[in-house]
Amino acid sequence: MEDKVKDTIQTGSDKWWKRAVIYQIYPRSFADSNGDGIGDLQGIIAKLDYLEDLGIDAIWLSPVCRSPQDDNGYDISDYQDIDPMFGTLDDMEALIREAGRHHIRIIMDLVLNHSSDEHRWFQEAKKSRENPYHDYYVWRDGVEGEAPNDMRAAFGGSAWEWVPEVGQYYFHQFSVKQPDLNWENPRLRREIYDMINWWIDKGVGGFRLDVIDQIAKEPDKKITNNGPRLHEYLRELSRETFQKADLVTVGEAWGATTELAKLYSNPDNSELSMVFQFEHICLDQIEGKEKWDLAPLPFMKLKEVFARWQTQLCGRGWNSLFWNNHDLPRIVSRWGNDGQYRVESAKMLAILLHGLQGTPYIYQGEEIGMTNVQFGIEDYRDIETLNLYRERLEKGYSREEIMRSVYAKSRDNARTPMQWNDEENAGFTQGTPWLKVNPNYTEIHAAAQVNDGDSVFACYRKLVHLRKEYPVFVDGDFRLLLEDDENIFAYTRTNKDSRLLVICNFYDRTVRFSLEEDISDMELLVTNYRETGSAGTLRPYEARMLYLKK
Ligand code: TEU
Ligand code: CA
C-alpha cells in the first residue's frame, strides 16, 4: 500500500472535520438585524465576513427551530420550521448558501431527547392513552401527588408531571415544558430520521446532538444517560441519516468516559464523528455536588484528564476541544484572569487548547476574550439560574452565597450579547437587548481587535490557520511534559516528520522550568508576549507554541 493511503487510513485525516475549527453561535445573542433586541439569521449572514476572516470551517448553530423558548430553543415545537424570532425558512436557506460562499458549513443543533410540550406530538399524546402519539413520550401510571419515583429534573423539581386527562405522569429530564421522547417507539424514530434527512437535503454540513447520551433512558431503573440501548439507537440513527452524506456529527455526552467515547466516535463511522464531553470542564466543583458548589480548580487533575483523553482516543476515536459553550461560564474569568492579565491569559488558554488533538470549538466572543458578568438577579433570564436561585433561597442559603455561585457558573455569563464595537449595546442591536450587554463592551469588542496583530482575536486567527497548515495538529501523538510541575502545562505532539511543543504557565506568577529536550532549534509559531522571553522562565500566563521539522 502506498504510504499516503496508509496514513489516511490510520489517522483518518481524509475527514474534513479532523482539520476543521468550529465556531458556535448562540443566535439570540450574536447579531440582531431588525432591532427587536434578539439576534437572528440575517444578523449572522451580515457577520460572515468576520467569521471567514477568523478562518473557521463550520458554524454550530444553537437551535433556531420553532420553539416557545422556555429553554432558549432547546424546547422545539416544530423541527421543520424556523422560529419567527430568528427569521424564516428562506433565511435559513440563505444562511446555508451564503455561508457556503464563505467556505463555512452550517451545523444544526438537534434536540432529540425531548421536544417542547407545545409540539404537535405532545399535544396529541396527552389527549388519551389510545392516541397514536401517546407512546412518543415516556408515561407511567400513578396517583396524583405520588410520582412514580423521586427522580429530579435538571432544572429543579420532580422529573414527573401529572396529566389529569390521561391519569398518568410524563417524564422530563429538563424543564416541565421539555417532555422526554420515547426512543423505544420505532415510529417516533422513523419520524426523527425523516426530519433529519429533510435537513440534509437542504445542505446542512452536520449536526450537534443535544444530550444524546440521555435518549435511551430507563426511568424505572433510574437510568438517565448511557442506557442499555443507547448505542443500538445511535447506530440506527447514523445508518438511516448521517451516513448518506459527508457530514460532521458531534454528540453532547456529559456521562462519557474514554471507553464510551470510543464507541460514539468509532473511526468506522458507525455512530458519530466525535464526542463532546465535559470531564475537564467540571473539575472546579465540590466532588459529588452540583456545579454551584464551587471549589478551586485542581490543576494537576486537569493535566491528568487532558492527558488521558489525548492518549486514549488517539487513533481510536475523536474528541472535541473546548473551554466554552452556551452552558458554561467564560473561560478567561474562570481559569484565566479577567483583570490585569486578561489578554495574556485568554491567549494562553487558546494556545494550550488549540495544540491538542481533536476538533477545536470557539464559542462566540471567546475569540475576543469576553468575560463573565455580575448582574442583579432580576437581570438574569436563564431558567436554570432562576430556578436555582429560588430553590436555594428556600433551602436557606444566603443571597450572597447564591449570587457567588451565579456569578461563577450561571449560563447567562456566556449568553450576554456579542460585543461588536463600542457603540450603544455593543453594536449588537438598535433596540433593547433581551439580556443586558456586559458593561465592559466599551473596552472589549471585536472592532478594536480585528486589525490589531496583538489582540486575542489575532491569536485565535493564527491558531485556526496553523491547524490547516501543519498536519501534526491533526495526527501527532500526544505526550505530557513536566508532569509534576504545579504551574506549567506542557506537551508535545509528534508525527513522522515534525514536532509541536506547547508550554504554558497557567498562573499569574513567573516560573522557572527546564525541559529534557533541547528546544533551541525550534521555531516559535505563536506566543502571547511581544518581547521575547528568556529560555528557562515563563512570565505570568506566558505561552509558547514551538515547531520543528525533523
Ligand atoms: O445541555 C445538557 C445539560 O445537561 C445541561 O442542562 C447542563 O446540565 C447544564 O447546562 C449545566 O449547567 C443541553 C444544552 O446544551 C442546554 O442548553 C439545554 O438546556 C439542555 O441540553 C436541554 O436541552
Ligand atoms: Ca432580531
Side-chain angles (χ1 to χ4, degrees), residues 405-455:
S405 300
V406 168
Y407 294 156
K409 295 284 177 74
S410 168
R411 305 196 294 183
D412 279 342
N413 281 308
R415 299 176 180 187
T416 62
M418 176 69 184
Q419 294 165 207
W420 292 106
N421 55 43
D422 61 2
E423 289 159 30
E424 206 181 340
N425 291 319
F428 161 72
T429 180
Q430 301 290 330
T432 309
W434 71 276
L435 174 68
K436 278 182 156 177
V437 172
N438 189 320
N440 66 17
Y441 74 89
T442 49
E443 273 163 54
I444 305 172
H445 58 83
Q449 298 194 26
V450 284
N451 297 316
D452 171 4
D454 281 330
S455 63

Side-chain angles (χ1 to χ4, degrees), residues 11 63 74 184 195 297 415 424 483 516 525 543:
T11 63
Y74 284 90
E184 286 173 18
M195 174 275 288
L297 172 71
R415 299 176 180 187
E424 206 181 340
E483 200 175 329
E516 277 167 27
L525 290 183

Side-chain angles (χ1 to χ4, degrees), residues 447-465:
Q449 298 194 26
V450 284
N451 297 316
D452 171 4
D454 281 330
S455 63
V456 177
F457 182 89
C459 180
Y460 271 91
R461 178 169 49 201
K462 176 95 197 175
L463 291 164
V464 172
H465 287 90

Side-chain angles (χ1 to χ4, degrees), residues 305-371:
V305 170
F306 267 119
R308 174 156 40 81
W309 280 87
Q310 288 289 302
T311 35
Q312 292 287 310
L313 256 58
C314 189
R316 285 173 282 184
W318 199 254
N319 203 358
S320 303
L321 305 169
F322 68 94
W323 290 125
N324 274 106
N325 73 10
H326 64 293
D327 294 332
L328 302 169
R330 294 281 179 182
I331 197 62
V332 68
S333 300
R334 187 179 188 179
W335 294 348
N337 176 316
D338 62 10
Q340 189 188 350
Y341 295 112
R342 186 184 63 86
V343 172
E344 290 81 0
S345 66
K347 292 178 182 175
M348 180 277 288
L349 290 160
I351 293 168
L352 194 170
L353 193 76
H354 283 246
L356 296 169
Q357 184 170 57
T359 298
Y361 287 71
I362 301 171
Y363 177 71
Q364 66 183 47
E366 178 184 342
E367 77 280 15
I368 57 170
M370 277 176 62
T371 70

